[in-house]
Amino acid sequence: MAPISKETDLLVIGGGSGGLGCARMASARFGAKAMIVEAGRLGGTCVNVGCVPKKVTFNAAAIAEAIHDSKAYGFSVQETKPFDFTTFKHKRDAFVKRLNGIYERNLANDKVEYVHGWAKLLSKNEVEITLDDGTKSVVRANKILLAVGGEPTKPSTSIPGAEFGTNSDGFFDIETLPKKVAIVGAGYIAVEFAGMLNALGSETHLFIRHKTFLRAFDPMIQEGVTNEYERLGVHLHKESSQSKIEKDPATGKLTIHYKDANGEGKLDGVDHLIWAIGRTPMTKNIGLEEAGVKLDEKGYIITDEFQNSSVENIFALGDVSGRVELTPVAIAAGRRLAERLYGGAQFSAARIDYSNIPSVVFAHPEVGSIGLTEPQAEAQYGRENLKVYKTSFPAMYYAMMEPEDKGPTKYKVICAGPEEKVVGLHIMGLGSGEMLQGFGVAIKMGATKKDLDSCIAIHPTSAEELVTLK
């Protein structure tokens, strides 16, 4: 390995989406000397244990659903053997490994120095790097970016046996399709896992603390997707908490003791328990206290709108700053920061706009959301200043199916003021993920209901309903 540089213009701690985006642009576009330090695999959560392998698994689940649905269209699909989850898992791992290699080659092409090791702040301009062989090196940097991301939140130590479960990272290590699986959590990670495993044939139990999940989303989404999961056969344990986890030493199977709306219960014969109860910023043991970097009460690095931390020359972005924890947000924030730091006067005010960021949940069905929920819009504008347009229908995909087999499609557009500016758009149904991107552009540009109405519908599609709402 080549010796590590002792000085650099920009030192990035964390080789995930945001850090890579910033370091590569600073070096390739603006000629800054950049170094990136990563202790794990390049690509961060998204590439290794997040969006990418999740979407591949979602695609597998979609194929399983299509095979099931094909009978309604007159097909007779004969499966010669069950879904080979193990082969699928290994191919998915190989795909991720290829991406790791591509990221490393991209760093080399953009002349970013890549160091595999653990970085720790010593001061506002110095970082100590511990290499894989244990040797240490100190690098002086004019500017330091903290893009270390987050990790799965650990379950409470007050639950005996909680350690017998795995977390959302460990989901991607599962080698064989579980016959029975339990997932704890009500956010998008838990909901996506539950939908995928149920579609692939696992008996799936989802434990949530309230009556609905996806509680950060509009009530239409919460209620609609919760009801659909029950229709699809996901076993929902509402208003639940876990009291004890036991493991059979002979079989390795788990028994989950819990309380829910129906009282105390016990679920036995569980192959895997997955804790998907949130994400925690990875701010421990990286020298933040020594450098004087301030954290908020949840452990996130406090930043302003320009990604400045409380310490001059130290910046933070992505999941560790706790704004909007989405990969494209981190990439955009990283690129805007590179522009501002190294792009000269024309980029002096470059920053990401954190308003109206579209997001999608790859649930069953898919969910898309941008802007304010209806309760948020009421609080901001007042109910009397809103007009809410809604529609609900079965997509044409279900035309050949029996009523009980038809999935829901629900759309809501929230408009404010006399000009009926669109301040919120929420969709659930087939294709919502792809659909939202285009509508996101329109809403970012300040679209009104009149603008939506002026667009000629594409027929027959589900999306046309958003431009024909009455």
Side-chain angles (χ1 to χ4, degrees), residues 252-266:
K253 292 189 183 293
L254 306 178
T255 298
I256 301 168
H257 298 263
Y258 63 91
K259 294 178 182 175
D260 65 11
N262 299 316
E264 294 193 7
K266 182 175 76 168

Side-chain angles (χ1 to χ4, degrees), residues 12 22 24 28 54 84 100 103 147 164 300 306 432 450 467-468:
V12 178
C22 187
R24 290 182 61 196
K54 176 272 301 287
D84 188 347
N100 297 145
Y103 276 99
F164 294 136
Y300 292 103
F306 292 100
S432 291
K450 186 177 179 181
V467 298
T468 57

Side-chain angles (χ1 to χ4, degrees), residues 139-158:
V139 178
R140 185 168 182 81
N142 293 330
K143 301 186 188 304
I144 298 169
L145 171 61
L146 303 170
V148 293
E151 61 185 349
T153 301
K154 294 179 173 61
S156 171
T157 54
S158 66

